[in-house]
Amino acid sequence: MPHGQHRPGNAATPQAGDSRARRVLTPLVTVAGLLVVWELVVDTGVIPNFLLPTPIQVVEALVGDVSLIAGHAATTLVETAIGLLVGVALGFAIAVLMDRFEGFYLALKPLVTISQTIPTIAIAPLLVLWFGYGLAPKVILIVITTFFPVTVSLISGFRSVDPDVIDLMRTMNASRWQVFRYAKLPAAAGQFFSGLRISATYAIVGAVIAEWLGGNSGLGVYMTRVRKSFSYDRMFAVIIVISALSLGLMGLVDLLQRVCMPWKRAEGNKR
């Protein structure tokens, strides 16, 4: 190789590294800046401390109650996992039926849409009244809030398949299962995981809302107790925990997508 020349691709490596560093550092710097502003606003008395705790006080409250919050978080995660699994299974089954039978599509489409116009905070008391203060009303509320994104995303994905592809497979004597397995399911996979990300965040919120109305443990129960004692630092601490759990679930969905859709990972590496 002549002197002064470089291997192709080596010049792109620093740029790729800079781009990754920028994607990580930019949100971190933004969050750090917001926290500094928050601290200054309270310390200077712009907002009274009894109305808004400082970030330092929130961290201290989180550390002080970490074992108690962890116990409540475990209950919420169990409710979330059960409700999310049932909601995803129900959404998948409804989507398959709506795709397979036009009658089901016409009959269920308005009902699926209407189910999301009912405020969860309004239906939660009824679920507690009907099913008590145990696990059942929490799971049912999570199912109601999580099946819709999965159903809609799958239906959209199933119907996005090129009709010519389906016709070609049928001329090759492909069965309905083979058309579904090799054409419709891969086409809907990307949209399914997009809907699953939304459902994962809805699941945590749905569980907390259900816990507000009654129960022995859970992050919603903890929030209700500290709110009544005006412990706003602990309120913010549990909000941080809820956000962290939601982000963690979204991260698990991203990991599952990379495992189930390796071709997407290969496409990302080529960019």
Side-chain angles (χ1 to χ4, degrees):
M1 180 179 294
H3 178 71
Q5 292 186 0
H6 300 279
R7 295 180 182 272
N10 285 354
T13 302
Q15 295 179 358
D18 292 342
S19 178
R20 285 193 294 269
R22 193 182 309 115
R23 286 197 297 268
V24 173
L25 289 177
T26 300
L28 289 178
V29 171
T30 302
V31 172
L34 291 174
L35 291 176
V36 170
V37 172
W38 178 3
E39 182 76 31
L40 292 175
V41 164
V42 179
D43 288 342
T44 56
V46 176
I47 299 178
N49 188 228
F50 67 86
L51 291 179
L52 181 68
T54 65
I56 294 176
Q57 290 172 331
V58 172
V59 172
E60 290 175 348
L62 180 60
V63 173
D65 269 8
V66 63
S67 59
L68 182 60
I69 292 176
H72 286 291
T75 300
T76 300
L77 282 176
V78 170
E79 297 166 353
T80 299
I82 297 174
L84 184 59
L85 288 174
V86 176
V88 170
L90 179 63
F92 186 87
I94 292 175
V96 171
L97 288 174
M98 291 174 69
D99 177 69
R100 174 65 181 85
F101 303 104
E102 188 67 18
F104 270 98
Y105 180 81
L106 297 175
L108 295 181
K109 183 180 179 181
L111 296 178
V112 170
T113 304
I114 290 173
S115 70
Q116 300 305 298
T117 63
I118 304 173
T120 54
I121 195 65
I123 196 174
L126 295 176
L127 294 176
V128 172
L129 179 64
W130 295 336
F131 300 101
Y133 293 99
L135 182 65
K138 282 85 168 177
V139 171
I140 293 173
L141 188 65
I142 295 170
V143 171
I144 292 174
T145 57
T146 56
F147 87 96
F148 178 77
V150 173
T151 302
V152 172
S153 61
L154 282 174
I155 282 293
S156 178
F158 291 155
R159 292 179 172 253
S160 68
V161 180
D162 190 344
D164 292 337
V165 173
I166 297 177
D167 292 339
L168 176 62
M169 294 185 69
R170 286 174 177 169
T171 59
M172 300 172 67
N173 296 323
S175 64
R176 289 185 181 275
W177 163 249
Q178 289 173 324
V179 171
F180 177 79
R181 169 66 179 83
Y182 296 107
K184 292 188 174 184
L185 201 57
Q191 297 186 53
F192 164 73
F193 282 106
S194 296
L196 186 57
R197 287 188 196 91
I198 298 173
S199 294
T201 58
Y202 283 2
I204 292 287
V205 174
V208 172
I209 290 175
E211 290 166 352
W212 282 349
L213 302 173
N216 297 319
S217 63
L219 293 176
V221 175
Y222 177 86
M223 289 183 73
T224 302
R225 292 173 180 172
V226 297
R227 177 181 58 83
K228 291 180 179 179
S229 63
F230 300 99
S231 300
Y232 294 129
D233 52 349
R234 295 179 180 179
M235 280 284 292
F236 276 91
V238 75
I239 289 173
I240 292 173
V241 172
I242 292 171
S243 298
L245 292 179
S246 297
L247 291 174
L249 282 179
M250 291 179 66
L252 287 177
V253 173
D254 290 338
L255 177 61
L256 183 62
Q257 182 178 13
R258 287 195 294 269
V259 172
C260 296
M261 301 176 64
W263 60 90
K264 286 290 185 182
R265 182 173 55 201
E267 292 175 2
N269 292 335
K270 291 180 181 179
R271 294 176 182 174

